[in-house]
């Protein structure tokens, strides 16, 4: 790195801020220090910025790059499709092929609707649930994120209506932002959910949750909680929706639901499905999905666009063919990284802890140890994590400022060793 290693990124950001609010196209990207970076290319586990600095990448495009950057067979399929057209405004065979694959792989999937982003697919799931049940209310959980669109922005990290734990289930008061019918409940608290549904259960269309609370601290629920949520939904006739935008195809080929053995009514999928090409899906019970044949309009110019669909088919091809190699590899590397970070934190005497869900790692600073719930996550300090991320960037590791890391199948043992050496240096810097 040169003396001013981020000069071109800084210059880019100065230019961009004149014409793009905060200079970024997605809000969280503005948080990286010493400056949000501008990139020129990415390949495998590496990403290179406009100043020529190369990093080991754990941002992974915010999760989609499960196979690393530019996986060969996916890019070959996309190149081939480019020669045949991008957007037909009509059907093409790869769409049904993709839906058939998802039905085969994801336990809850009997039918599939394709969209472009995770936020949209979450909205589609909620709309389907409302139409299928004839009810309006939605239950969501503290800290769980389902995209940036109304009405589920309530109580997510960085939300305009607050991210603190709700002492008890509350209707979110800011109607203009989230609508009056979103009930926020603490997660992994079966009693709280039972209480809430006892009072409102017959008004509730959907109970939506991240089956593993990735955005709420990267935590698994206690044994039995998801099964109890399933039972309660059945009792009150609410649809259980798993947002597997992050965990789908990442935690296991069939997602968190396969790994944890609880089948929702509807599942939201995105990120890892497309290896970086924008694609998402709602999948679920045919009886519910068929509501889209009349009572719910599901539309979108780019839905099922040929490039994203062939990218998704090629991605699932690789994941299916190499499942016995890829998932154990992801577990091993992520396990080594998590243990290595915690070991180094102890050695440096800093209150840093990493929690892991499959190949997703989340760092916590000064949070209760072990981190057991969203309140513990919020008790942690964010500023030291930002300093650590900045220091890691200076040491060749691209990681998010909030400590959420994604490991990919392109990472290697050598990458892990280099990353841990960088963590060592970064911890020395932030504690000196
Ligand atoms: C669990 C979850 N759901 C939904 C979304 C929204 O997806 P997108 O950013 O593609 O709209 C995200 C994005 O990070 C997510 O983590």
């Amino acid at each position: 790195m040169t003396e001013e290693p981020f000069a071109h990124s800084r210059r880019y950001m100065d230019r961009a801020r004149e014409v793009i609010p905060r200079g970024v196209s997605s809000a969280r990207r503005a948080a990286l220090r010493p400056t949000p970076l501008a990139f020129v290319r990415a390949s495998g586990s590496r990403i290179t910025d406009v100043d020529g600095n190369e990093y080991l990448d754990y941002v992974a495009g915010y999760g989609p790059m499960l196979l690393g950057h530019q996986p060969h067979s996916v890019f070959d399929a996309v190149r081939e499709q480019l020669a045949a057209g991008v957007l037909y405004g009509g059907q093409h065979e790869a769409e049904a092929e993709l839906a058939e694959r998802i039905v085969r792989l994801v336990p809850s999937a009997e039918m599939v609707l394709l969209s472009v982003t995770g936020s949209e697919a979450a909205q589609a799931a909620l709309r389907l649930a409302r139409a299928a049940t004839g009810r309006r209310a939605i239950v969501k959980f503290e800290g769980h994120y389902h995209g940036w669109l109304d009405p589920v922005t309530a109580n997510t990290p960085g939300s305009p209506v607050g991210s603190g734990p709700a002492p008890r289930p509350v209707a979110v008061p800011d109607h203009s932002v989230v609508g009056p019918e979103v009930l926020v409940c603490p997660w992994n608290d079966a009693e709280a959910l039972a209480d809430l549904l006892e009072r409102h259960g017959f008004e509730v269309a959907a109970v939506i949750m991240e089956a593993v609370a990735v955005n709420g601290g990267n935590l698994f629920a206690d044994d039995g909680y998801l099964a109890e949520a399933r039972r309660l939904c059945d009792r009150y006739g609410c649809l259980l929706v798993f947002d597997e935008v992050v965990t789908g195809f990442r935690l296991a080929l069939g997602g968190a639901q396969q790994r944890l053995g609880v089948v929702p009514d509807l599942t939201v999928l995105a990120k890892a499905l497309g290896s970086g090409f924008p694609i998402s899906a709602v999948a679920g019970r045919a009886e519910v999905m068929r509501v889209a044949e009349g009572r719910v309009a599901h539309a979108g110019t780019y839905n099922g666009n040929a490039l994203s669909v062939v990218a998704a088919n090629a991605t699932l091809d690789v994941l299916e063919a190499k499942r016995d190699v890829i998932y154990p590899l992801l577990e091993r590397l992520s396990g080594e990284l998590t243990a290595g970070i915690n070991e180094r934190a102890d050695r440096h005497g800093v209150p840093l802890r990493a929690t892991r869900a499959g190949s997703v790692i989340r760092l916590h600073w000064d949070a209760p140890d072990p981190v057991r719930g969203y309140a513990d996550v919020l008790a942690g300090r964010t500023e030291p994590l930002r300093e650590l991320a900045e220091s890691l960037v200076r040491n060749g590791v691209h990681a998010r400022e909030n400590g959420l890391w994604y490991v990919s199948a392109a990472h290697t043992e050598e990458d892990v060793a280099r990353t841990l050496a960088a963590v060592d240096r970064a911890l020395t810097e932030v504690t000196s």
Side-chain angles (χ1 to χ4, degrees), residues 139-146 154-156 183-189 193 196 207-210 225 229 240 374:
V139 173
K140 82 168 290 286
F141 294 89
E142 289 171 357
H144 290 214
Y145 181 62
H146 306 296
N155 207 282
T156 57
L183 305 166
V184 181
C185 186
W187 188 66
N188 198 21
D189 180 341
L193 181 60
L196 178 62
V207 173
I208 186 169
M209 67 169 78
E210 295 185 60
Y225 174 74
L240 180 61
Y374 190 50

Side-chain angles (χ1 to χ4, degrees), residues 26 62 116-122 144-149 210 212 214-215 243-247 268 270-271 279-280 400 404 406:
S26 184
Y62 279 57
V116 179
T117 67
S119 300
E120 279 176 282
H144 290 214
Y145 181 62
H146 306 296
W148 72 283
L149 302 177
E210 295 185 60
V212 175
V214 172
N215 292 288
D243 179 340
E244 295 227 41
V245 165
V246 172
T247 53
V268 187
K271 301 219 189 227
I279 188 161
S280 62
R400 277 184 64 186
L404 195 58
Y406 296 103

